[in-house]
Amino acid sequence: MGRFILRRLLQGILVVVVTAFLIFIATFSLGDPFASTGEKVVPPEVAAINRAKFGLDQPLPVQFVNYLGNMVTGDFGLDFDQRRPVSQLLAETVPNTILLAVVALLFLVLFGVTAGVIAAVRRYSFWDVFVTVVSTIGIGVPVFVVAIFLVANVSGVGPFPPVPRSFLEEVPWYWDVILPAFTLAIIESAFVARLMRGSMLEVLQADYIRTARAKGLSERTVVGRHAMRTSLLPVVTFVGLTLGTYIGGAIVTETVFQYNGAGFLLARAITNNNAPVIMAVVVYSVVAYVLLSMLVDILYAYLDPRIRLS
């Protein structure tokens, strides 16, 4: 297990470095952020001073090596717009995104796993057909459609804050996070329900399940203790990678709801060609995704003792 974790950590570091390099090249190709564009007129001497201040006057390889060295110490540079440390912007937004991801995960597991188990246990019943039809429809609905529908019809109603709203307005965190979390979870719940149903049906036909029933165990024990644990394997993979996406920042959902998270921060940075913020959010997202992928592999071994990690 120790060698497995070490190997995955080394692979993760390589992924982060390669991704940082690719994003670095991509942001560089966006053009000079301090050049005159349209109505924005910047004197050449001012642009030169700004480029020198942020190290953009150096060769690209030198810039990248300096960035990696600073990144290791937690220094992601200065925001081009506000001249604030990017690490401060991450500290303000990442906790909000993590909270959103956790609440969305709770919705996802509650709706998806429950629906899948009910559909499998009551195969060919009304509930099975209902779950299958609803999940099929849910898979085909884009997330931005759900987000826009909730913004147009639910936000601003009752305790839910209006969109857009000022971040200075005090709103309890649970009312602020419920709608975007529900938007993230509702589409993915359809996938989880289908995965759980298919996996559960396969496991319920296994020999050890028939043996458990032959021993006289109750159906609740057979389903809850024996069948569900193995059936969760494909669901754990999907949910784990989905959580990595959530924690990395759900750009569309956070932008539609103007939720003050990493995804909304990234969307604004791309619009303003704010390279330090783009780099920082992408690197953070990749690190979160790599760590959660490793956690999923470890959970695999826990859920199914037949799997051994070496």
Side-chain angles (χ1 to χ4, degrees), residues 118-150:
I118 292 175
V121 173
R122 302 186 178 183
R123 190 178 185 184
Y124 301 134
S125 68
F126 165 78
W127 291 110
D128 184 18
V129 175
F130 177 77
V131 169
T132 301
V133 171
V134 171
S135 62
T136 302
I137 295 174
I139 291 173
V141 178
V143 66
F144 70 86
V145 173
V146 178
I148 292 174
F149 174 82
L150 292 178

Side-chain angles (χ1 to χ4, degrees), residues 10 14 34 50 62 70 84 86 101-102 106 110 116 126-127 171 175 204 223 229 232-233 235 244 283 290:
L10 293 176
L14 179 61
F34 301 111
N50 285 328
V62 175
N70 294 331
R84 294 176 58 195
V86 176
V102 171
L106 293 177
L110 176 64
F126 165 78
W127 291 110
V171 176
W175 294 122
L204 288 174
V223 173
R229 182 168 178 173
L232 283 171
L233 286 175
V235 176
V283 169
V290 167

Side-chain angles (χ1 to χ4, degrees), residues 13-310:
I13 292 173
L14 179 61
V15 169
V16 171
V17 172
V18 172
T19 303
F21 176 74
L22 294 176
I23 297 300
F24 196 86
I25 297 298
T27 54
F28 180 80
S29 66
L30 292 176
D32 185 356
F34 301 111
S36 299
T37 56
E39 297 181 355
K40 176 186 173 183
V41 179
V42 181
E45 59 275 12
V46 175
I49 292 174
N50 285 328
R51 282 192 291 268
K53 178 179 180 180
F54 288 93
L56 301 182
D57 57 338
Q58 301 177 358
L60 189 60
V62 175
Q63 293 183 42
F64 181 67
V65 171
N66 291 337
Y67 183 82
L68 286 181
N70 294 331
M71 184 179 70
V72 172
T73 64
D75 181 8
F76 292 96
L78 292 177
D79 169 29
F80 285 166
D81 296 331
Q82 305 176 50
R83 302 297 194 268
R84 294 176 58 195
V86 176
S87 56
Q88 288 185 6
L89 298 178
L90 290 179
E92 293 173 0
T93 56
V94 167
N96 295 334
T97 293
I98 293 177
L99 174 63
L100 174 62
V102 171
V103 176
L105 181 66
L106 293 177
F107 284 151
L108 175 63
V109 173
L110 176 64
F111 299 147
V113 173
T114 303
V117 171
I118 292 175
V121 173
R122 302 186 178 183
R123 190 178 185 184
Y124 301 134
S125 68
F126 165 78
W127 291 110
D128 184 18
V129 175
F130 177 77
V131 169
T132 301
V133 171
V134 171
S135 62
T136 302
I137 295 174
I139 291 173
V141 178
V143 66
F144 70 86
V145 173
V146 178
I148 292 174
F149 174 82
L150 292 178
V151 167
N153 296 278
V154 182
S155 67
V157 177
F160 297 108
V163 177
R165 70 175 181 84
S166 170
F167 292 133
L168 298 178
E169 181 183 353
E170 290 293 334
V171 176
W173 66 267
Y174 40 87
W175 294 122
D176 195 27
V177 79
I178 284 179
L179 289 184
F182 180 81
T183 302
L184 286 176
I186 196 64
I187 304 300
E188 307 298 345
S189 294
F191 286 96
V192 170
R194 298 296 295 271
L195 273 176
M196 192 65 192
R197 179 185 181 275
S199 179
M200 194 81 169
L201 288 176
E202 182 179 351
V203 170
L204 288 174
Q205 305 302 318
D207 292 337
Y208 75 92
I209 295 297
R210 286 195 290 268
T211 302
R213 285 171 172 158
K215 289 181 177 179
L217 298 179
S218 66
E219 190 66 15
R220 176 177 297 182
T221 301
V222 171
V223 173
R225 181 175 300 178
H226 298 283
M228 274 193 65
R229 182 168 178 173
T230 306
S231 301
L232 283 171
L233 286 175
V235 176
V236 164
T237 302
F238 180 82
V239 170
L241 299 180
T242 300
L243 180 61
T245 304
Y246 289 170
I247 291 180
I251 298 177
V252 174
T253 302
E254 291 187 5
T255 301
V256 172
F257 284 96
Q258 297 193 11
Y259 182 82
N260 190 26
F264 190 26
L265 177 65
L266 178 60
R268 296 197 305 264
I270 293 174
T271 302
N272 299 327
N273 191 10
N274 199 335
V277 177
I278 297 174
M279 287 288 300
V281 175
V282 171
V283 169
Y284 147 74
S285 302
V286 173
V287 170
Y289 197 85
V290 167
L291 291 178
L292 284 169
S293 297
M294 186 172 63
L295 179 61
V296 166
D297 289 338
I298 295 174
L299 284 176
Y300 248 67
Y302 170 75
L303 291 173
D304 192 345
R306 295 172 297 178
I307 299 175
R308 289 293 179 263
L309 303 176
S310 60

